[in-house]
Amino acid sequence: SMAIGEAKLIENTYMFPIDIILFFRFQIQRGKGDPNSYKGLGDCFRTIFRSEGVYGFYKGILPPILAETPKRAVKFFTFEQYKKLLSFTPLSPGMALSVAGLGSGLTEALVVNPFEVVKVSLQANRDSFKVQPSTFAQARTIINTDGFGLRGLNKGLTSTLGRHGVFNMIYFGFYFNVKDAIPASQDPQLEFMRKFAIGLVSGTVSSCVNIPFDVAKSRIQGPQPVPGEIKYRSCFQTMGLVYREEGYLALYKGLIPKIMRLGPGGAVMLLVYEYVSVWLQKNW
């Protein structure tokens, strides 16, 4: 999991600007009437750079870095454990892998949600970086005002459970089922490409399927449209509301940046996991 942690740290630093901009700021925007609305990707980039400076792109980067290594370790470790447990059940191997993926996603969501709440509240802040509270100050504020529950540090938990559960179920299920169906190659480079391609497709498909949960999570954890009034309360209520008010395409906001990030990211993660697993089996 050290190698996984290092891979993630590098990916985080390069990919994080995509995360804040394209993704989250677009998902909390409520269409053309929103006074803070960005006209497009270029406009979003320019506005953040002008008003918030270069560090504006890295707002809330500390929570994901803090959460990343334990999160990946939890994802892959629990996946292995659920896989072992499910081998005793009458489920077919392919089905067992998907269910193990679902279990690992739900477990990962429980670990990651508090970090997400802090990250989102930092990212939604449009002040310049200098006057922003630190990550820990922000976490303290959230706990002092709203506690640890579903209104405080665990706001949006159902959406996060949905996001990670659905993602991992498809991600692992697709990868391991398709990988065995497509013949392996003796040439190590071709074999690497084969695994990378399957990982890329499984990361992309999972991203496309779970994005409505992501949009719901951004709305619930982000700033509510009318101060003091909670509009986006729960996962499915939020999805229904976004669909009714903004159309079904609004549930897919931020899909392109998400695929840009999680397609290749998903492929890299699975490859690191595969090669580390093989190495551990040989050496331990």
Side-chain angles (χ1 to χ4, degrees):
S1 100
M2 272 312 289
I4 288 171
E6 282 163 29
K8 278 312 294 176
L9 191 69
I10 297 160
E11 186 211 339
N12 253 322
T13 315
Y14 288 115
M15 300 306 272
F16 199 76
I18 289 181
D19 185 69
I20 178 161
I21 317 229
L22 312 182
F23 195 48
F24 173 68
R25 292 269 177 103
F26 268 99
Q27 286 180 347
I28 59 173
Q29 142 175 326
R30 295 180 307 282
K32 299 280 177 282
D34 189 334
N36 290 323
S37 162
Y38 300 110
K39 292 176 194 67
L41 289 190
D43 178 52
C44 182
F45 227 95
R46 277 191 303 276
T47 312
I48 290 181
F49 186 73
R50 267 203 314 271
S51 59
E52 302 168 44
V54 128
Y55 294 115
F57 295 124
Y58 288 93
K59 278 182 180 174
I61 192 170
L62 195 58
I65 286 178
L66 291 175
E68 236 17 282
T69 308
K71 177 173 121 182
R72 296 301 158 189
V74 165
K75 184 204 275 283
F76 289 106
F77 175 74
T78 56
F79 174 67
E80 286 298 326
Q81 302 315 309
Y82 288 127
K83 207 166 72 174
K84 278 182 202 147
L85 279 174
L86 290 161
S87 64
F88 300 112
T89 66
L91 286 175
S92 70
M95 192 62 197
L97 287 164
S98 297
V99 176
L102 174 66
S104 78
L106 296 174
T107 314
E108 182 192 14
L110 291 170
V111 171
V112 93
N113 197 60
F115 291 97
E116 287 288 316
V117 171
V118 176
K119 179 186 91 168
V120 165
S121 62
L122 286 169
Q123 284 187 343
N125 184 332
R126 288 171 186 250
D127 295 336
S128 85
F129 195 80
K130 290 187 203 59
V131 297
Q132 269 227 302
S134 75
T135 299
F136 298 103
Q138 189 74 10
R140 254 200 320 274
T141 307
I142 293 169
I143 294 165
N144 293 341
T145 345
D146 298 305
F148 289 93
L150 293 176
R151 297 199 56 166
L153 209 54
N154 268 301
K155 205 196 294 188
L157 181 62
T158 315
S159 307
T160 308
L161 287 166
R163 177 175 90 154
H164 289 269
V166 169
F167 185 89
N168 285 5
M169 179 171 78
I170 298 168
Y171 182 64
F172 285 117
F174 186 95
Y175 182 76
F176 288 107
N177 287 315
V178 172
K179 199 184 68 162
D180 298 337
I182 298 174
S185 164
Q186 291 312 302
D187 176 341
Q189 276 182 312
L190 283 175
E191 179 56 6
F192 179 87
M193 286 311 293
R194 177 185 81 101
K195 285 180 173 166
F196 187 87
I198 300 167
L200 183 70
V201 174
S202 66
T204 305
V205 172
S206 315
S207 300
C208 292
V209 177
N210 84 339
I211 192 158
F213 286 101
D214 221 333
V215 171
K217 177 188 151 310
S218 292
R219 295 292 176 98
I220 294 166
Q221 292 178 348
Q224 299 282 338
V226 181
E229 196 181 298
I230 297 178
K231 177 175 182 174
Y232 303 113
R233 285 175 187 283
S234 62
C235 177
F236 295 105
Q237 171 260 354
T238 299
M239 283 185 197
L241 201 57
V242 169
Y243 170 71
R244 281 199 306 279
E245 293 188 346
E246 302 165 50
Y248 77 93
L249 281 178
L251 289 169
Y252 290 86
K253 272 187 183 168
L255 183 60
I256 306 297
K258 183 176 164 115
I259 290 171
M260 279 162 61
R261 184 176 176 199
L262 290 174
V268 170
M269 283 310 303
L270 280 165
L271 285 170
V272 170
Y273 165 71
E274 285 251 311
Y275 290 108
V276 169
S277 297
V278 169
W279 185 84
L280 285 173
Q281 276 157 7
K282 276 191 188 140
N283 296 285
W284 292 85

